[in-house]
Amino acid sequence: MPTVIHNFDDIDFELPGKHHYQVAFHLDGSWGYSLVPLTVINGRRGPNPNGVICFGGTHGNEYEGQVGIKRLCADLDAGQLAGRVVLMPQLSESACVANSRASPLDGVNMNRAFPGNPRGTISSRIAHFVKTRIFPQGRVVIDIHSGGMEGAFPYCTSFHPIPDPAQRAEIAKVSQLFDTGFVLIYSSAMASGLLTDEAEAEGKVTIGSELGAGASTDRLGVRHAYEGVKNVLRHYGLLDGEIVKIRPPGAAPVRLIRADKLDAYVPSPRNGVWEPVVHPGQAVDKGELLGRLHDFSDHSSPPADILAPRAGWVAMLHLGARPIKGQTLFVIAENIEWSEVMG
Ligand SMILES: [Zn+2]
């Protein structure tokens, strides 16, 4: 069984070999803990300046990262590794147990809780632990997400607009190692307090992702997560071996798309029953029909046709059949060249 940690100072991040922990965060209103899983591996093949930190379960109802990173906890062998790998497969452990986006303990979305607060509610205390104890262990930070019950995305890795050219170019390079069909540059303005916001601001090579949807465990999404992280370890020399292609032979080059302005995130104009007629990752023209919003208060009424406001790629579609007014219905991203971000 993993070692239960009550005092953060008892985690020896320098200890050679592989060590499994459960970090105990006391509950806010009763006696007990959320036991957050943590695995620290210090490879026996010597040091490496590029420690790699991976998170799954930042949202509890997104399983590709939880499963992919749990498998890495078991499979990565300290004898074959150089440098340090830190793995947290269920960061918002209470949300993972509850199969929910946010923690049921404090109602907080872990991916809005950063930089956290050592005297805050449980999610805020976990975020502060990550910021102060985990981020210093590496310069590469990977947070594996999927759409949960919110949206359907094409398989993608993602990052925000990054002002620093060298950091941006390195992130863009590493984002391709997951061999998803798309890499998405997404807006910083839709939300704040993200784990990736904090890591990017610290200058880390920071990768987000969307690798499935619907609170399921997507087979290919797990493969992108698991093999993609191993590709990152290979890229930086923590693991030996060549970068592995994850999609089938002959797949198109990874496409870079951008939705960095809020007007690309289009709200549903009203409540309704949503019938999409395009799929995530599809190219659409300006004015093309994306879907229909049906009103069953009069089943003889025509639907509201939802049209693409511009040409581009469908980067996100509302997943559920029942969007409410104001919820993001779709995102159309524009194509951009890798040279724009890699200099
Ligand atoms: Zn998520």
Side-chain angles (χ1 to χ4, degrees):
M1 281 296 289
T3 304
V4 174
I5 296 292
H6 292 285
N7 180 348
F8 301 152
D9 290 333
D10 291 343
I11 305 168
D12 182 355
F13 286 101
E14 309 285 336
L15 195 62
K18 177 160 70 175
H19 306 278
H20 302 292
Y21 305 99
Q22 292 178 336
V23 186
F25 291 87
H26 68 79
L27 303 182
D28 292 313
S30 61
W31 282 19
Y33 305 95
S34 174
L35 298 173
V36 177
L38 166 69
T39 293
V40 181
I41 314 172
N42 283 293
R44 299 189 188 276
R45 288 179 45 231
N48 184 297
N50 300 293
V52 174
I53 304 168
C54 302
F55 300 95
T58 303
H59 288 140
N61 60 355
E62 302 175 8
Y63 290 94
E64 291 76 7
Q66 295 178 47
V67 170
I69 293 172
K70 176 178 182 288
R71 286 181 49 208
L72 289 167
C73 291
D75 292 356
L76 290 178
D77 178 352
Q80 295 177 357
L81 272 177
R84 182 175 303 143
V85 181
V86 177
L87 304 167
M88 298 192 76
Q90 289 193 322
L91 182 61
S92 186
E93 186 262 351
S94 54
C96 295
V97 169
N99 184 33
S100 61
R101 181 172 171 84
S103 169
L105 299 176
D106 57 8
V108 170
N109 175 345
M110 178 63 76
N111 211 29
R112 305 291 184 271
F114 282 79
N117 176 354
R119 309 213 59 82
T121 63
I122 188 161
S123 300
S124 186
R125 287 185 277 119
I126 294 171
H128 186 260
F129 169 79
V130 167
K131 163 87 175 160
T132 57
R133 302 284 176 150
I134 300 297
F135 280 179
Q137 308 307 324
R139 65 178 291 272
V140 181
V141 172
I142 299 164
D143 192 18
I144 305 290
H145 286 253
S146 48
M149 297 307 290
E150 305 278 308
F153 296 79
Y155 298 113
C156 64
T157 51
S158 60
F159 54 91
H160 290 117
I162 303 285
D164 179 75
Q167 183 190 11
R168 181 173 65 231
E170 189 172 354
I171 287 174
K173 174 69 190 165
V174 173
S175 73
Q176 299 176 15
L177 298 172
F178 292 76
D179 197 28
T180 48
F182 293 87
V183 170
L184 171 66
I185 302 176
Y186 64 115
S187 170
S188 302
M190 183 62 94
S192 58
L194 277 67
L195 185 153
T196 49
D197 282 332
E198 199 62 34
E200 287 167 349
E202 286 194 19
K204 309 279 190 200
V205 176
T206 307
I207 304 294
S209 58
E210 303 289 351
L211 299 178
S216 63
T217 309
D218 184 274
R219 179 177 62 89
L220 291 176
V222 172
R223 190 161 150 68
H224 283 294
Y226 178 90
E227 207 61 57
V229 170
K230 286 181 110 172
N231 273 347
V232 174
L233 300 179
R234 294 175 185 121
H235 172 74
Y236 284 107
L238 284 79
L239 269 182
D240 275 343
E242 297 294 310
I243 302 300
V244 172
K245 293 296 285 182
I246 299 169
R247 290 176 299 157
V254 179
R255 185 180 294 281
L256 181 63
I257 56 177
R258 178 168 61 194
D260 60 345
K261 308 272 190 323
L262 276 186
D263 63 8
Y265 300 69
V266 177
S268 184
R270 58 175 171 77
N271 297 5
V273 172
W274 172 231
E275 177 201 3
V277 302
V278 294
H279 60 82
Q282 185 173 329
V284 295
D285 291 325
K286 182 174 181 183
E288 187 170 336
L289 183 67
L290 299 177
R292 306 179 183 95
L293 272 175
H294 294 279
D295 176 2
F296 278 82
S297 65
D298 171 3
H299 74 279
S300 71
S301 65
D305 287 344
I306 304 297
L307 307 180
R310 61 173 173 174
W313 297 81
V314 178
M316 176 268 188
L317 284 174
H318 188 84
L319 181 68
R322 304 298 294 271
I324 59 173
K325 181 181 177 181
Q327 279 187 320
T328 302
L329 197 54
F330 63 88
V331 177
I332 305 293
E334 59 182 342
N335 195 69
I336 68 167
E337 298 301 321
W338 284 102
S339 58
E340 276 193 55
V341 294
M342 299 180 81

